[in-house]
Amino acid sequence: MLNIKEGLQIVGLGHYTPKHVVTNDDLAKLVDTNDEWITTRTGIKRRHFMEEGETNRSLAKRAAEMAIADAGISVDEIGCLILATVHPDTMTPSVACMLQKELGIPEYTPCFDINAACSGFMYGVSIARGMLLQSDKPYALVIGSETLSKVMDMTDRSTCILFGDGAGAAIVKLSDDHAYYKVLGSRGNDQCLTIPNSGDKRYVSMNGGDVFKFAVSTVPRTVEELIEMSGHAAEEIDWYVCHQANKRIIENVAKRIGVSLDRFYMNLEEYGNTSSASIPIALSEMNQKGLLKEGMKIIAVGFGGGLTWGGAYLEF
Ligand code: ACO
């Protein structure tokens, strides 16, 4: 029997970040930078880097297990596993396929990785909804998992201060009672942000100024589009959860839509930019802190390499 429900509900959340913390002062020992510059320009104070033995899969597994436990479901009820990442452990097998086995998700379950850079989790949620409409299982597992410390040029002060490692996961199901609206977009651009997968320098390279300009035009526009689709006023949205790239970008969005910055959850001070993991880590942390209550209205928006952007209006 096919599911025919219209909306989408998040029923479980989880996250994991490595224990190894790298402070701005630690980075100042490697490159010509300082805590004051990084804090003022980005809001970032710390980031977590993987330790020996950790992999994209091991981070994702911890986040997924927490989300499955939070949802209180059995892995037999999962109809698909979608993992967003810009840096899988191997190009093939996908991280998702390997996780299927490790988590004990039954075979005959579609499991695959996607890459939409920092918008990946939001893309994944939308794809999950489409997959569930064709599934006889009730739940989808969507993960954002990143090991960016492996592709950092630790001699490039313009990028190595920005990124961190981590994973976030959500269990979602179709719902008639929880509205879901989405905006997804992409614009071919290989000048703003790239990670080559051949050649000697397989590092993140970025034109920060251009990415900044892209973000401060695209993110507020996406938020406004989602507000309009939802039929609510900006101040009726309980939480805005933007990709955690830069505090100044988030402040800019708040100002543009005229909503207090208090409604914008931020944890970039602790984790830096964890690309596709940043939004599910934030949601899971909020859930853990009791900040998400039933019926709350949430707008989440990611943006990043591609260029890509993706946002959704969700009801908790
Ligand atoms: N410490 C000290 N000085 C630095 C550092 C550093 N870490 N990095 C750069 N500088 C210097 C520059 O060399 C430059 O010096 P100059 O004036 O002598 O040439 C000066 O600081 C200003 O540099 P800008 O790049 O103009 O600084 P800006 O204010 O634009 O901040 C930043 C840079 C933080 C990268 C900002 O542009 C930004 O946040 N951009 C968005 C990046 C982003 O969101 N990326 C993630 C996208 S998501 C994804 O897909 C992975």
Side-chain angles (χ1 to χ4, degrees):
M1 194 183 71
L2 293 184
N3 290 304
I4 50 165
K5 294 178 176 147
E6 292 294 326
L8 191 90
Q9 184 186 8
I10 294 177
V11 296
L13 286 161
H15 70 283
Y16 180 76
T17 54
K19 300 286 167 253
H20 177 47
V21 174
V22 178
T23 64
N24 291 346
D25 288 339
D26 293 332
L27 292 177
K29 291 174 195 149
L30 301 175
V31 289
D32 181 14
T33 191
N34 56 72
D35 176 52
E36 202 265 329
W37 193 96
I38 301 172
T39 306
T40 317
R41 300 290 177 119
T42 71
I44 299 165
K45 284 280 190 190
R46 290 169 293 278
R47 68 287 293 145
H48 296 222
F49 280 3
M50 297 155 71
E51 293 178 296
E52 189 75 26
E54 289 189 307
T55 59
N56 190 314
R57 193 200 320 172
S58 71
L59 305 189
K61 185 175 179 222
R62 302 282 290 257
E65 285 170 340
M66 183 174 163
I68 292 165
D70 185 45
I73 63 160
S74 148
V75 289
D76 297 341
E77 299 174 283
I78 293 175
C80 70
L81 191 179
I82 300 165
L83 184 138
T85 188
V86 295
H87 190 239
D89 297 321
T90 48
M91 297 308 288
T92 191
S94 68
V95 182
C97 277
M98 298 308 293
L99 266 185
Q100 173 265 331
K101 190 176 175 192
E102 282 198 17
L103 291 169
I105 294 172
E107 293 187 2
Y108 290 98
T109 305
C111 300
F112 53 92
D113 292 354
I114 59 166
N115 178 349
C118 308
S119 315
F121 178 78
M122 302 314 299
Y123 270 58
V125 170
S126 172
I127 297 167
R129 184 170 172 278
M131 299 292 290
L132 285 174
L133 287 166
Q134 310 166 59
S135 177
D136 56 0
K137 302 274 184 83
Y139 301 107
L141 170 56
V142 186
I143 306 171
S145 183
E146 299 292 5
T147 53
L148 291 159
S149 64
K150 296 285 173 208
V151 280
M152 286 290 88
D153 177 353
M154 296 310 285
T155 64
D156 176 6
R157 68 177 181 173
S158 70
T159 54
C160 76
I161 55 145
L162 297 173
F163 299 95
D165 299 334
I171 300 286
V172 299
K173 69 166 194 172
L174 300 174
S175 168
D176 278 334
D177 308 318
H178 297 78
Y180 169 75
Y181 302 101
K182 60 141 193 349
V183 173
L184 302 175
S186 68
R187 179 188 306 157
N189 179 310
D190 60 3
Q191 302 300 307
C192 282
L193 202 154
T194 57
I195 310 176
N197 69 356
S198 61
D200 292 340
K201 297 203 165 173
R202 299 184 194 182
Y203 298 132
V204 172
S205 108
M206 187 179 70
N207 182 330
D210 283 355
V211 177
F212 194 92
K213 277 184 226 144
F214 162 71
V216 295
S217 65
T218 308
V219 182
R221 192 184 67 229
T222 304
V223 170
E224 283 167 352
E225 287 165 355
L226 289 165
I227 289 171
E228 194 178 334
M229 286 175 181
S230 77
H232 295 288
E235 58 272 17
E236 290 178 298
I237 306 299
D238 296 287
W239 284 108
Y240 292 89
V241 184
C242 292
H243 170 45
Q244 306 287 304
N246 187 316
K247 191 176 180 206
R248 288 190 291 143
I249 294 173
I250 297 175
E251 286 168 347
N252 199 288
V253 180
K255 199 168 161 200
R256 162 110 169 244
I257 62 165
V259 167
S260 161
L261 196 58
D262 299 345
R263 296 277 186 94
F264 285 72
Y265 187 76
M266 274 193 262
N267 61 10
L268 53 82
E269 179 176 326
E270 180 61 35
Y271 304 119
N273 178 346
T274 56
S275 191
S276 68
S278 90
I279 290 175
I281 291 174
L283 288 170
S284 175
E285 244 188 20
M286 292 167 76
N287 190 37
Q288 223 175 22
K289 291 178 181 171
L291 297 175
L292 297 179
K293 308 256 186 286
E294 209 177 316
M296 277 189 164
K297 303 173 187 66
I298 301 164
I299 284 182
V301 177
F303 65 91
L307 298 163
T308 58
W309 59 100
Y313 166 88
L314 293 150
E315 291 170 350
F316 197 71

